Amino acid sequence: MAERGRVVVIGSINMDVVVTVPRLPAPGETLAGGSVHQVPGGKGANQAVAARRLGAPTVLVGAVGADGFGTVLSGFLDGERIDTAWVRSERGPSGTALITVVDGGENTVIVVAGANAAVSPARVTDAAIRPSDVVLLQGEIPAETNESAARAARAAGATTILNLAPFRAPSRELLAAVDVLVVNETEFAQLVGLGVGGGGAAPGIEELLRSGDRLAAPDGAPLGDVVVTLGADGALARIGGEVLVVPGRRVPVVDTTGAGDCFCGALGASLAMGLAPAEALERANAAAGLAVGRFGAGPSMPTEAEVAEALSAV
């Protein structure tokens, strides 16, 4: 196994305000909810918690607001033994996500950036990225910050994973500086210009991943290593020119919020520990399967021991 590196997450920190409902309301309809919860979340924070719980030294670069949410979020992250020296408190509100979770675990999410908008390119240098680091990026901080971070990671010789969620079309410069792109089925369709639909898209995805040099964004920007998460159906990936198929795991679903973040954090931790891509993907998939069986995002991330037990049970 190679030398262990850190996971450096540059990303969002939110308070999730979660309402459980029997179904989604129709436009203009008032619907009685079952319960309301305030749960630490945000894609950056979720990925950092997942990476740290899976055993990787983890640094988080981000921002919280000078409000009650910010105090709670900072306390939660410190309790997870994440290096939060580069998490700043900004004037104004913390990032907030309004989430509805329906029976069966599916959800809808509305994100208000708040303090996350203050995570600027100048902040990237604070983390002093090292060659052995794995850098995790997502779409809830400014696009220019992701570009700056990816360039800095490439210059340092680190590995960069970009989770293209929420989806926004990446620049050619960003794609060129990223080592591994992680998207779900819908985001992959948006990225490569497929029709966005449900269900039967997975066979088309595998065919595209096997097409080699023909895999590109609509503007012609070539895609390098790509991981496509498929929820209960597992994941497909093209790493180093090889297509990898990660089988789905049939697990009870309570809440899918943060499952993709768990996958990315676990993948980053596994690669930082020196695991081979196939093993890292399997570990990430198992971690995400455990996360969906629990309510909430940040607190639902599994531990290293729990993931090892899940893998041994297969």
Side-chain angles (χ1 to χ4, degrees):
M1 183 178 292
E3 175 190 0
R4 284 192 174 209
R6 304 179 303 172
V7 173
V8 179
V9 185
I10 304 171
S12 58
I13 306 168
N14 296 330
M15 181 63 78
D16 294 347
V17 180
V18 186
V19 178
T20 60
V21 291
R23 59 175 176 79
L24 295 179
E29 179 186 13
T30 298
L31 185 67
S35 59
V36 62
H37 308 265
Q38 293 178 4
V39 185
K43 287 190 167 296
N46 294 341
Q47 292 182 12
V49 172
R52 185 68 191 94
R53 288 190 180 182
L54 265 70
T58 302
V59 175
L60 178 58
V61 179
V64 296
D67 57 5
F69 282 173
T71 300
V72 173
L73 291 167
S74 295
F76 170 72
L77 294 169
D78 289 342
E80 293 292 327
R81 297 180 297 125
I82 294 166
D83 185 346
T84 59
W86 297 279
V87 174
R88 294 184 182 175
S89 179
E90 302 286 348
R91 295 177 63 182
S94 296
T96 306
L98 306 177
I99 302 174
T100 56
V101 178
V102 302
D103 293 345
E106 291 301 321
N107 63 72
T108 63
V109 184
I110 300 173
V111 177
V112 181
N116 296 308
V119 184
S120 66
R123 301 285 307 281
V124 171
T125 58
D126 294 346
I129 297 170
R130 305 168 186 170
S132 59
D133 288 340
V134 175
V135 177
L136 293 182
L137 305 172
Q138 332 77 36
E140 289 184 345
I141 58 173
E144 58 269 23
T145 304
N146 278 340
E147 292 183 11
S148 179
R151 288 195 299 269
R154 177 59 57 87
T159 298
T160 300
I161 299 174
L162 171 63
N163 179 210
L164 204 57
F167 182 85
R168 61 186 176 210
S171 67
R172 294 178 68 95
E173 292 75 19
L174 179 59
L175 288 177
V178 166
D179 296 292
V180 182
L181 189 66
V182 180
V183 289
N184 65 22
E185 194 170 351
T186 300
E187 292 153 359
F188 181 80
Q190 292 173 292
L191 177 66
V192 301
L194 290 174
V196 179
I205 291 174
E206 184 171 355
E207 181 181 352
L208 269 177
L209 291 178
R210 294 188 184 281
S211 67
D213 294 339
R214 294 193 294 110
L215 182 59
D219 66 356
L223 304 182
D225 290 347
V226 181
V227 178
V228 184
T229 60
L230 304 171
D233 293 326
L236 292 166
R238 189 185 72 176
I239 305 291
E242 179 183 3
V243 174
L244 303 172
V245 179
V246 183
R249 303 175 68 88
R250 300 303 168 186
V251 295
V253 177
V254 174
D255 181 5
T256 58
T257 307
D261 300 331
C262 182
F263 185 100
C264 292
L267 178 62
S270 300
L271 293 176
M273 293 174 178
L275 299 184
E279 188 177 357
L281 288 166
E282 185 179 11
R283 197 165 181 248
N285 191 52
L290 291 171
V292 300
R294 303 166 180 175
F295 184 82
S300 74
M301 303 299 156
T303 65
E304 189 172 13
E306 289 171 331
V307 172
E309 182 179 0
L311 288 170
S312 66
V314 175

